[in-house]
Amino acid sequence: MSIGRDGGLYGTPHGGSAELLVPGLGGFDSSGLQALANGHLVLADSESNRLLEVTLDGAKDTLLGGLAYPNGVTVDMRENVCVAEHDAGRVHRVVPETGASSVVAEGLDNPNGLNFDPEYKVLYIGSFGGGSIHQVEIDAEGEASNLRLFVEGLESDDPGGGSGGGPGGGWGEEGGGIDGLGVDACGNVYATEYVAAVIWRITPDGTKEELLRLSDDSFWIPNLHWGSGYGGWDRQHLYVMDREKNQVYDIDLGIPGKEEPHL
């Protein structure tokens, strides 16, 4: 699912074109989107700088406001929500049922993509500015500890067809432009390098490899996700969004994604 520029919620059948599911959800600019098991959506509204919960009939509730460019969003198995506050260098954890929130990581360089390990004990945090990924442990009560660097140097030597050019896939001194994060069932972390259109894979011990470079004229690769197992979206395939070309790449990895609360 995705939010269109007209503010509608769209779904795309496998091999088909986007279809409008719910019109008129507008009034925000979604930079991150996740589904909950109850069918609600949580999204980062980067226009109004808030974290929203949205129902499919169009009702909206602010879970956390006053943020500085909220972006990446992920949900744990208890459906607590983590959101990256890109411009403030922080990550927040929010309990939707109570509205309680806490800062679980700070002092980061433009945090963006978020994802948990398969046991939902470690949160990975991608750095859009620094070409790196950090990790922080979060226990069942939401207490965070041991924030540390997981991997750095996620900057392509060859920027490919990205429009910016230069090191870091066109991001120059700011680093690799690491945007979306995914985690497979084996604990490997996958990261999209925004401008260079590169997919990185990092093993649980921090060993990195450039897994795949997309077509030369792609340079807006914000996220990636495994298929749900429904409607032709294969659980062992990784689907990568190309916003510049308005298309999705289908990559047969032969490895499923980790378990998720809404599946």
Side-chain angles (χ1 to χ4, degrees):
M1 291 186 291
S2 61
I3 302 293
R5 290 174 178 166
D6 60 356
L9 176 67
Y10 286 81
T12 305
H14 188 269
S17 300
E19 301 174 354
L20 181 63
L21 301 178
V22 183
L25 289 179
F28 51 77
D29 184 5
S30 174
S31 297
L33 175 70
Q34 286 287 327
L36 301 176
N38 62 5
H40 295 185
L41 304 173
V42 286
L43 58 90
D45 176 3
S46 54
E47 181 175 331
S48 299
N49 288 315
R50 57 184 175 163
L51 178 69
L52 283 176
E53 181 173 356
V54 179
T55 67
L56 296 187
D57 61 4
K60 293 176 280 190
D61 182 34
T62 298
L63 299 177
L64 187 63
L67 301 173
Y69 189 32
N71 200 303
V73 177
T74 196
V75 179
D76 69 19
M77 292 302 285
R78 298 186 179 191
E79 301 208 304
N80 302 305
V81 182
C82 289
V83 57
E85 192 178 8
H86 181 280
D87 288 358
R90 295 185 292 237
V91 176
H92 301 261
R93 177 182 181 271
V94 183
V95 182
E97 291 182 356
T98 66
S101 67
S102 60
V103 174
V104 296
E106 56 188 335
L108 300 165
D109 185 357
N110 299 136
N112 197 313
L114 303 175
N115 219 304
F116 281 97
D117 77 321
E119 296 183 345
Y120 286 83
K121 294 180 179 179
V122 174
L123 177 67
Y124 293 103
I125 307 165
S127 171
F128 194 80
S132 61
I133 300 173
H134 282 73
Q135 55 185 176
V136 62
E137 297 173 18
I138 303 179
D139 65 21
E141 285 69 45
E143 294 294 325
S145 62
N146 198 17
L147 175 66
R148 59 198 183 275
L149 182 68
F150 172 56
V151 65
E152 59 185 340
L154 299 176
E155 303 173 35
S156 300
D157 295 330
D158 177 5
S163 61
W171 233 255
E173 294 181 357
E174 295 184 18
I178 297 303
D179 207 340
L181 294 186
V183 178
D184 68 24
C186 300
N188 299 303
V189 179
Y190 298 74
T192 62
E193 189 178 347
Y194 180 91
V195 173
V198 166
I199 309 300
W200 292 90
R201 178 162 61 189
I202 307 100
T203 61
D205 66 1
T207 302
K208 64 187 178 185
E209 65 168 320
E210 187 177 307
L211 178 67
L212 182 68
R213 183 184 296 272
L214 304 182
S215 62
D216 286 344
D217 56 347
S218 295
F219 63 90
W220 187 3
I221 310 298
N223 217 335
L224 71 178
H225 206 281
W226 275 264
S228 63
Y230 302 98
W233 298 99
D234 197 302
R235 284 277 292 137
Q236 298 197 23
H237 286 213
L238 187 62
Y239 299 93
V240 183
M241 171 60 72
D242 182 341
R243 288 292 301 275
E244 174 65 23
K245 302 172 81 173
N246 197 29
Q247 65 185 20
V248 176
Y249 292 91
D250 180 339
I251 305 169
D252 182 1
L253 287 179
I255 304 172
K258 71 180 195 308
E259 184 181 358
E260 298 195 38
H262 63 283
L263 294 179

